[in-house]
Amino acid sequence: MKTQKGCKAIVIGAGVAGLASAIRLVAEGYQVQIFEKNDFCGGKLSQIKLGEFRFDAGPSLFTMPHLVEELYWISGKKSTDFRYHKLDEVCRYFFPDGTRFHMPANEEDRIRVLSNTLGEDPEMLRKYLETSRFRYETIGRLFVERCLRKVSTFFNPLAFKAYLNLGKLGLFSSLASWNKRMFRNPLTQQLFNRYATYNGSDPFQTPAVMGMIPHLEYGIGAFFPKGGMIRITESLQELALELGVEIRTGVAVESIQTSGNKATGIQTEQGIFECDVLVSAVDVSLTYNRLLGKKSKAEKYSRLPKSTSAIIWYWGIGRQTPQTGLHNIFFSSDYPKEFQQLFGVKTMPDEPSIYLNISSKENSEDAPEGKENWFVMVNAPANEGQDWDTLLAETRKFVLKKLSAELGFMVEDFIEAETVLDPRSLETRTGGVGGALYGNNSNHPFAAFLRHANFSSEYSNLFFCGGTVHPGGGIPLALQSARIAVDYVKEKA
Ligand SMILES: Cc1cc2nc3c(=O)[nH]c(=O)nc-3n(C[C@H](O)[C@H](O)[C@H](O)COP(=O)(O)OP(=O)(O)OC[C@H]3O[C@@H](n4cnc5c(N)ncnc54)[C@H](O)[C@@H]3O)c2cc1C
């Protein structure tokens, strides 16, 4: 039932979470305005153009597309302009010892490749993927789809199924130690350890329950939106506008206005805007620090250990590379050291693993004919004032040397266009503290309980969504956070 006709809602921030919450609020009958500080929408999910090369600026792996489609369904619209397809090949792997293979999406082909190339027992691989599915279907769905502040989350058939299978969930050992028990080849262990980085965590610390993440890629699938990742942002923006949402870009929110236990509106350089419901879809520490002026609460959340950030080079490459695919990983030879440097020393690893994404492999318009658009990313610690200029220069040298050796040509000689983002610029571009890609890390078994809830305990009509609050970072979780926040709006406002 639409009970809120005429009530005004304001959303701060037009990242995917902000756009999704605006669409959901319209479906509940609200008149919605979004205020976005950048002159473009999308936040982390935006794009960069360098001459004739186009790059998705942030996310490159698209999982759980039904969460985008759901926004069309609830709005009574058809997602005719948002198309995507499932990838047949998930990733190409390059190991330092010369082992290379393409990981197929099809389960039997995948098991065959892993057993032929890495010598793993096919039955063990099946068991691993089945456990991954089980973890996702039980604890994953409990923690990701529901609010952790409700007693009902912990007393329902799904929760009881989880309690009855505690040993299978992997709550009490690290992902790396579980992978070591399951696989004999250290390369297979490294491959599956990498899934911890999908939410910016350390495989040697994060609990083995994160072994659910491969299920997203293998069980549900990896997808590619027609036109590139930017189409997710553009489609949601188009849908929001069609539904009558007013999107004000280039307008930073300076503060949240409050009276008693209510948030009454926002202050911008264009004046004060009042509302009945306020949703903050920006970093939660930033909301407390700059918008509410609550320094101690801001500090509480900014002190929580952050996920990795990244250095990303966007290179227009003046040739093609048949040995690469859409997603490519060039692994380091010492994964424990790499993560010790990222999370322990909080510096750039001497030998970082490199992720190379080339969207022009799927979307030929992203690069001129005969050329490729390279998104070259290495994990970095969140910004704490490290000497980034020096670290950038050293890491760029390493990356060029490594990719040149792996691909058999001098990469630098083919760079026709270049720009770079690092933890500092990621922080200014999106307002995310430390430039962390996924908010807080999940290295601690109780990390999920430390994330901010999707509502304010102080202001009855203030709600939170986005990658820094429950259930966490990444496009699917940011979209889920918008759903949970608007469920609270329905309940509380
Ligand atoms: C390099 C990189 C790679 C990634 N890879 C993947 C991937 O492959 N797959 C995946 O699922 N996820 C990936 N992620 C994570 C994913 O992008 C994020 O979790 C998700 O986009 C977060 O969306 P959000 O809406 O919560 O926040 P954001 O995108 O950060 O949006 C917040 C918005 O708020 C705006 N804002 C901030 N302050 C104000 C203010 N005062 N007033 C008004 N507006 C304000 C910002 O400008 C921004 O537009 C990646 C992220 C990065 C950066």
Side-chain angles (χ1 to χ4, degrees):
M1 192 172 60
K2 310 269 191 282
T3 52
Q4 304 299 338
K5 206 162 172 37
C7 283
K8 277 192 185 157
I10 285 179
V11 176
I12 310 173
V16 270
L19 290 168
S21 59
I23 291 165
R24 288 185 176 278
L25 286 164
V26 173
E28 292 308 316
Y30 283 88
Q31 283 173 19
V32 186
Q33 285 179 308
I34 307 182
F35 288 81
E36 165 56 53
K37 76 170 173 57
N38 291 334
D39 52 16
F40 54 88
C41 289
K44 296 184 179 75
L45 217 177
S46 51
Q47 67 180 351
I48 288 174
K49 288 186 178 166
L50 295 175
E52 290 182 87
F53 295 96
R54 190 203 71 83
F55 304 85
D56 287 310
S60 50
L61 176 66
F62 183 34
T63 54
M64 308 187 80
H66 67 277
L67 295 174
V68 175
E69 290 204 291
E70 192 177 282
L71 296 166
Y72 286 87
W73 305 331
I74 62 159
S75 309
K77 305 274 176 195
K78 287 207 171 83
S79 57
T80 45
D81 288 336
F82 181 66
R83 303 249 175 82
Y84 57 88
H85 64 270
K86 194 169 174 180
L87 298 173
D88 294 333
E89 175 187 289
V90 174
C91 190
R92 294 191 183 186
Y93 290 105
F94 300 74
F95 288 91
D97 70 350
T99 305
R100 296 172 172 202
F101 55 89
H102 305 180
M103 185 74 98
N106 174 283
E107 177 152 337
E108 282 313 308
D109 292 343
R110 188 166 59 238
I111 289 175
R112 188 177 39 73
V113 166
L114 287 173
S115 58
N116 290 349
T117 326
L118 301 177
E120 296 297 346
D121 173 5
E123 276 320 302
M124 199 51 124
L125 286 162
R126 276 193 195 93
K127 189 173 164 201
Y128 187 91
L129 296 171
E130 172 50 29
T131 308
S132 177
R133 185 195 62 77
F134 180 79
R135 287 178 184 171
Y136 173 76
E137 295 286 345
T138 49
I139 204 130
R141 293 191 49 204
L142 270 184
F143 278 59
V144 165
E145 294 177 9
R146 297 167 190 233
C147 171
L148 298 185
R149 304 298 196 278
K150 283 187 174 165
V151 176
S152 60
T153 298
F154 303 97
F155 293 94
N156 60 67
L158 193 58
F160 288 120
K161 191 173 169 191
Y163 303 145
L164 291 173
N165 289 280
L166 276 184
K168 219 175 160 186
L169 295 177
L171 297 169
F172 309 112
S173 61
S174 74
L175 180 63
S177 60
W178 183 52
N179 289 338
K180 198 167 178 180
R181 277 203 306 278
M182 297 296 283
F183 301 120
R184 29 175 290 213
N185 190 331
L187 303 189
T188 326
Q189 295 163 20
Q190 186 172 23
L191 190 154
F192 284 100
N193 282 348
R194 180 177 158 257
Y195 286 94
T197 66
Y198 281 35
N199 63 17
S201 302
D202 174 353
F204 301 93
Q205 295 186 58
T206 200
V209 69
M210 289 301 160
M212 74 174 88
I213 299 176
H215 176 69
L216 294 185
E217 202 172 79
Y218 297 143
I220 301 175
F223 299 82
F224 187 83
K226 188 170 186 294
M229 296 295 284
I230 190 61
R231 283 301 300 154
I232 301 173
T233 293
E234 289 174 349
S235 306
L236 295 185
Q237 186 179 351
E238 287 156 15
L239 175 60
L241 289 171
E242 192 186 336
L243 295 171
V245 174
E246 184 190 348
I247 304 178
R248 294 199 178 205
T249 51
V251 187
V253 173
E254 289 163 358
S255 65
I256 292 174
Q257 309 281 297
T258 59
S259 172
N261 73 340
K262 290 269 182 201
T264 54
I266 53 162
Q267 167 87 56
T268 74
E269 63 174 17
Q270 296 181 352
I272 289 175
F273 295 82
E274 292 180 343
C275 60
D276 303 293
V277 159
L278 185 56
V279 176
S280 175
V282 304
D283 190 294
V284 65
S285 320
L286 181 145
T287 307
Y288 279 114
N289 189 16
R290 288 206 225 135
L291 307 186
L292 284 164
K294 298 200 177 276
K295 305 283 174 204
S296 62
K297 223 155 180 193
E299 227 167 74
K300 176 178 163 193
Y301 287 100
S302 63
R303 262 204 315 266
L304 290 174
K306 295 284 159 275
S307 81
T308 44
S309 183
I311 300 176
I312 312 126
W313 287 275
Y314 306 85
W315 287 335
I317 295 286
R319 61 167 284 173
Q320 290 193 320
T321 53
Q323 60 275 57
T324 58
L326 172 67
H327 299 290
N328 310 273
I329 293 290
F330 299 82
F331 274 118
S332 69
S333 60
D334 191 344
Y335 228 29
K337 183 174 176 201
E338 184 174 348
F339 284 92
Q340 168 56 19
Q341 291 188 301
L342 284 169
F343 286 98
V345 189
K346 298 188 180 171
T347 189
M348 284 308 295
D350 306 327
E351 189 201 345
S353 297
I354 302 167
Y355 168 62
L356 168 62
N357 176 259
I358 309 175
S359 69
S360 60
K361 298 270 185 192
E362 289 285 329
N363 192 42
S364 58
E365 287 162 23
D366 287 350
E369 209 179 328
K371 303 183 180 185
E372 291 177 344
N373 65 338
W374 284 21
F375 167 109
V376 183
M377 179 172 130
V378 291
N379 289 320
N383 180 25
E384 290 186 6
Q386 294 90 332
D387 178 2
W388 287 112
D389 291 336
T390 306
L391 292 171
L392 263 172
E394 287 170 358
T395 310
R396 185 178 184 278
K397 230 184 194 164
F398 171 85
V399 166
L400 282 168
K401 193 170 164 203
K402 169 123 176 172
L403 290 180
S404 302
E406 291 279 357
L407 298 176
F409 67 94
M410 293 302 288
V411 171
E412 191 159 25
D413 294 347
F414 289 86
I415 299 177
E416 294 185 356
E418 170 165 5
T419 190
V420 64
L421 288 178
D422 64 39
R424 295 167 302 185
S425 40
L426 282 166
E427 186 163 9
T428 24
R429 197 175 156 98
T430 64
V433 171
L437 308 189
Y438 303 94
N440 302 332
N441 67 45
S442 295
N443 290 347
H444 194 277
F446 298 114
F449 295 96
L450 300 176
R451 285 200 182 89
H452 197 287
N454 303 91
F455 60 89
S456 159
S457 50
E458 211 172 338
Y459 303 105
S460 62
N461 60 340
L462 174 61
F463 303 88
F464 295 87
C465 66
T468 62
V469 299
H470 178 69
I475 301 168
L477 269 56
L479 292 173
Q480 295 276 18
S481 78
R483 182 185 53 73
I484 301 171
V486 175
D487 281 350
Y488 269 117
V489 172
K490 288 190 265 182
E491 201 177 300
K492 289 178 172 256

